[in-house]
Structures are given as structure tokens and as C-alpha cells.
Amino acid sequence: MNRTTLSLIAVATALAAVTGFAAVSAPDPVDSTATATAKTPARLPVERSSLLCPAPSTSELAETVYTSFTPAGTTGAGTGGAAELAPSAAPLTDTDPADDEKKTDEDKAKDDEAKDDKAKDDDAKAPADGADAKAKPFLALKEPGKPVSGTKKGADAPALVGAATGPLAPGWTAQQTTTVTAGDSRGLLGMTCTAPGTDFWFPGASTDKSRQDYVHLTNPDDTAAVADIALYGKEGTLKSDTGEGIPVPARSSVPVLLSTLTGEAEPNVTVHVSTRTGRVGAVVNATEEKTGGDWLAASADAAPRAVLPGIPGDATSVRLVVFAPGEDDAELKVQLAGKSGTIVPSSAAEPLNVKSGMTASLDLADVTKGEAGAVRIGPAEGGRETPVVAALRVVRGKGDNQEVAFIPATGPVTERATVADNRAKGSTLTLTAPEKSAKVKVTASAGSGGGEQVVKTYTVKGGTTLSVTPPVPAGLKGSYALTVEPESGGPVHAARALAVTQDGVPMFTVQTLPDDRGMVSVPATKEDLSVLK
């Protein structure tokens, strides 16, 4: 082979590298007289999803139900795939169905097989710390449209990390719901397991002496991550010598007690979690002395306007916490979208002033007055468009029988959103249309132990909140998932409340339903050799 031939091969290789093999087959001949026309990007289902669930509780009285679900009917999602949640640190040993339903023969056979596998693993004498062995899945979803669930009792449940591929990836969601019957953390603690990221805002946290708030940082990857935690109070940044450069080892979860990061005790604090390297899932576990505890999820991305949906009608106390992360102050109008329309509560008659880099709060008391609603915030008249993040602290009950939950600002459901672990009793769905009226389709999936899917359509009037008992699958056994899909009209914000009364305490938790981002825009591409000119 002569040098000329080698040179030609090298040029061909370089051309292939530059064009990136944008198309498998050769492109159509280019018509020099034709005008280039931009094509609308195709909407295609995602091929992989990741979720992280933090360690649920340190209470020996805790019982945690895990539920995994992917909506059915995603066009173009293909076949096969898997969706598995596995321990990040130590294996979970309890895998009972969530509602103690009787197992089928097939389930029993699977359990026997699992026990045999465990015995074989023990015989193989795997490393004691499990570092070199891949953790077995605690929950494995087999098909879209039907949830799977499992339970873990006690305080030794680890964080879970998981991934879904193929047709199980678009819209995959997982819920962990923990019931603690006594102690400081007693209550119903629920959260939708989160996707990993690099930046999170949590208005509504606290370093007060009556609170114990932990930020749980979970690393799903095989390399270590490094995170920073910054705290902001009513006067600005809280001094901290230990909030920077927090290592989060590979496939592990690290809880950080906020009060150990600063000596300043404040009832309303905004937490900012960011990563220097790697990515983490972040969520705040908040426990109060007299009102139990719950999870505080991250606020939606900072924006001049926000909706915080899902306030129960019987809320006895509602507190709004807002933070302006940019360089400008915000003057905000606070409104309540209720059953019959949008009003300005008397407690919010004056605009809420939020200074740049400072946390502001507003006590709205029993703002809902017996009707479920959503808080809307936006620029006051004549105010500038300043991005903010926000959350609500909500209390039900009175005296010793109180329970707390948190509601972050949440974006609209643009295509589809899903929440798992709904039950025959105690679930409430709220739909808020802050602008125009909207028509929404709600699908109740098959149950984890049996039942048939049910679909119902609702119309939400503009400027109002519709609160409904969601449809229940026919012949339901176990728990089920709710999927919300807007069909027409303006934007819709959704939330699901789950309530359980225990010894007179109205335990509850609220999960908002942001869009599942199961579909992504993929632009059309083809080779363009003009880049070589």
C-alpha cells in the first residue's frame, strides 16, 4: 500500500469523524437551488430514566411502602427494557406487598426462587461489605401500566438507586411512603423519588431548635460526587464553615443535619444544594417537635410566577416561604386559587417583599377556609419580573393532634404526570388552572395486586382549583397510580394528597405532579460537509 492510498484513507476517516455518522445511509443529493427548510424536531420517548430514593427513617417504628410504576401507551417506546430499584448500601430483606395482599402461586414461586438465589450467594461467600457485588433489585418493574410494590419495616432501610430502560423509561416514577406511629418523626412521610441533578433549591427548611432538618444527598454513579450546601435566612447567607466540599461516595447516600452547618437558628431557611463534581439526588427530611415530619422536595426552577398546588381544605396553618436567588428584589402579589375563583387573602393584602439573597415568609393562617386551593405568586402591579423559588409549610389538626407537610412550587403538566401509591381510601387529587379553563384526562392504573384501569375526564375552570376523589380501578387490590394528561385549554398544575388518621392524628402527605418529561425533542440531522470549508 503506497503513501497516496494511506493519505486517502486518512482523509476519509477524518471526514467520517467530523460528520459524526449523522446518518447510517448516504444523504440524498443536495439541490443547490433548493432553499433549506428547518424541520420541526421529532418528539420521541426517552430511552433511560434514573431515580433516587433516600433512606426513609431512623425510627424502629417506621414502615415504608415503595411503589414503582410506568404509564402504559407511550408510542414508539419499543420493547423489552427494565426498571429496577436496588439498595445503595445494604440489601433490604423485607419485600412484602404493600397492603398485605395474598400472594399468588407465581409470587410464591418467585419468593422461593429468590430464597434459593440468596442461599447460593451465601455459599459463594461474597465480600462482607458487598462493595464488589452488584446489589440485587428490591423492586423490579416488568411491564408498563401495572405498579409493583414492596415494604420495609424498621430503621435499617437504605437509600435506593434505580434506572429504567426501553419502554419502562418514559414516565417512570417511584413513591416511598413511610408511616411512623410515635416519636418526634411520627406521621405520614411521602415523597416521589427524585432524578439526579446538580442544582436544587429548598425554601421552607429550618435550623430552628424545634426542628431537625436533614438534607439527604444520594449519589447514583460509580464515581464520587462533591456537593456544597448554602443556607439563606431572613438577613441573607448564614455563616457556615462545613457546608462546602461535602463528599458523597459512589452509590451511597449522605444525610447532613442543617443545624450542624451553622450556629444561627432560624425558623425559615432556604437551602441551596449544588455539586462541584458528579451529580446527586437531593431532598430534605424535616421533623418538628409537635407536628411530626415529612419530606420537602426541591422547588421548581426559579421563575417570576409560581403555583403551589394541593393545599387541603381543612388546613389549619399555611406558611409561604420565598427566596430570590438573583440580583434583583421581588415584589410579589400573593393569591389563592380556590373552588370558585382566585382571591387575594386578607393576610396577603400587601405585596410580599423579597430581598435578593434573603428568605421571606408570609403566614397565611387557615387561608383555604374549608376548600382545597393553590397559592399563586407573581409580580405585584408595577413590579419587575424577578425569578423566585417558593414552598409552603402546611399543618392539619389542632393541639397535640397536628401533622405537617410541605408543598414546593411546581411547574404545569405539559404532556403527562404520574403519582404512585394511591389507595382506595384517603387519596385526593387537586387540579389548578391558574389562567384559562382546561380539560384533563385522569387514568387510574391497574392495582399492584389486581384490578382494571379506569379513565375519567375533568374540566377545571380558569382561575380555580378542582379537588376530587380520584377514580379507583375496578376490582382494586393493592395500590394504584394516577396519570394526569391535559387535553385542551390552559396550563394545569396538579397535586395528590394521601391522608391516614392514626390515634386521632390527621396524618397526611402531599406530592405535586410535575411533568414527567418522558418525551424529548430530537432535531432532524444529516451530514453537512460544508463545515470542512
Side-chain angles (χ1 to χ4, degrees), residues 21-341:
F21 294 99
V24 176
S25 59
D28 295 333
V30 177
D31 182 357
S32 60
T33 62
T35 302
T37 303
K39 293 183 179 180
T40 303
R43 296 289 291 172
L44 299 176
V46 298
E47 297 179 351
R48 182 179 177 85
S49 297
S50 298
L51 291 177
L52 307 172
C53 311
S57 179
T58 57
S59 173
E60 292 295 339
L61 301 176
E63 179 173 327
T64 301
V65 176
Y66 299 89
T67 309
S68 174
F69 176 78
T70 295
T74 300
T75 303
T79 59
E84 298 176 343
L85 284 168
S88 66
L92 282 76
T93 56
D94 300 328
T95 55
D96 299 327
D99 289 351
D100 296 326
E101 296 290 340
K102 292 183 178 180
K103 295 182 179 179
T104 63
D105 292 340
E106 181 180 354
D107 291 332
K108 292 178 181 178
K110 289 181 180 178
D111 285 348
D112 291 338
E113 182 180 349
K115 291 177 181 178
D116 292 340
D117 290 341
K118 184 178 184 303
K120 292 178 182 178
D121 288 345
D122 291 341
D123 292 340
K125 296 181 180 181
D129 60 3
D132 298 327
K134 183 180 179 180
K136 287 187 176 181
F138 174 62
L139 279 185
L141 188 64
K142 300 299 183 183
E143 59 180 317
K146 181 181 179 181
V148 295
S149 63
T151 63
K152 182 69 180 79
K153 298 179 181 179
D156 60 344
L160 301 182
V161 299
T165 58
L168 294 174
W172 181 45
T173 187
Q175 168 87 13
Q176 70 174 42
T177 309
T178 303
T179 304
V180 181
T181 55
D184 289 341
S185 61
R186 67 108 175 93
L188 191 66
L189 297 85
M191 68 159 294
T192 301
C193 298
T194 60
T198 60
D199 194 78
F200 306 86
W201 289 96
F202 300 95
S206 177
T207 58
D208 194 72
K209 293 181 180 179
S210 63
R211 286 266 292 263
Q212 279 200 323
D213 286 18
Y214 287 85
V215 177
H216 287 249
L217 306 174
T218 305
N219 180 1
D221 299 320
D222 294 328
T223 56
V226 178
D228 293 332
I229 300 177
L231 308 178
Y232 302 88
K234 63 181 180 179
E235 299 297 333
T237 304
L238 301 184
K239 294 180 180 180
S240 174
D241 297 325
T242 56
E244 295 184 351
I246 299 171
V248 187
R251 294 186 65 82
S252 70
S253 189
V254 176
V256 180
L257 180 60
L258 294 185
S259 60
T260 64
L261 301 181
T262 179
E264 301 181 51
E266 291 204 26
N268 303 302
V269 169
T270 298
V271 179
H272 183 212
V273 175
S274 58
T275 61
R276 300 184 183 186
T277 60
R279 56 182 189 155
V280 297
V283 67
V284 174
N285 180 272
T287 301
E288 300 187 3
E289 286 183 356
K290 297 182 179 181
T291 55
D294 206 347
W295 293 98
L296 169 60
S299 172
D301 293 341
R305 292 170 177 77
V307 177
L308 299 91
I311 309 172
D314 61 353
T316 53
S317 175
V318 178
R319 181 196 302 157
L320 172 65
V321 182
V322 186
F323 180 79
E327 297 180 355
D328 297 325
D329 298 344
E331 285 283 338
L332 299 175
K333 182 179 182 179
V334 180
Q335 299 173 292
L336 177 73
K339 180 179 179 180
S340 56

Side-chain angles (χ1 to χ4, degrees), residues 1-17:
M1 185 179 292
N2 59 34
R3 293 183 178 179
T4 302
T5 304
L6 289 172
S7 298
L8 289 173
I9 292 174
V11 171
T13 302
L15 288 173

Side-chain angles (χ1 to χ4, degrees), residues 400-460:
D400 294 333
N401 296 328
Q402 295 185 71
E403 165 74 330
V404 68
F406 299 90
I407 301 174
T410 304
V413 182
T414 55
E415 293 186 65
R416 182 180 63 185
T418 300
V419 62
D421 193 15
N422 297 280
R423 303 167 188 185
K425 295 182 179 180
S427 295
T428 302
L429 176 68
T430 58
L431 304 168
T432 299
E435 300 171 9
K436 300 178 181 179
S437 297
K439 186 178 180 181
V440 179
K441 182 175 76 172
V442 177
T443 302
S445 75
S448 57
E452 297 295 328
Q453 171 184 295
V454 175
V455 178
K456 192 167 184 178
T457 301
Y458 298 94
T459 297
V460 189

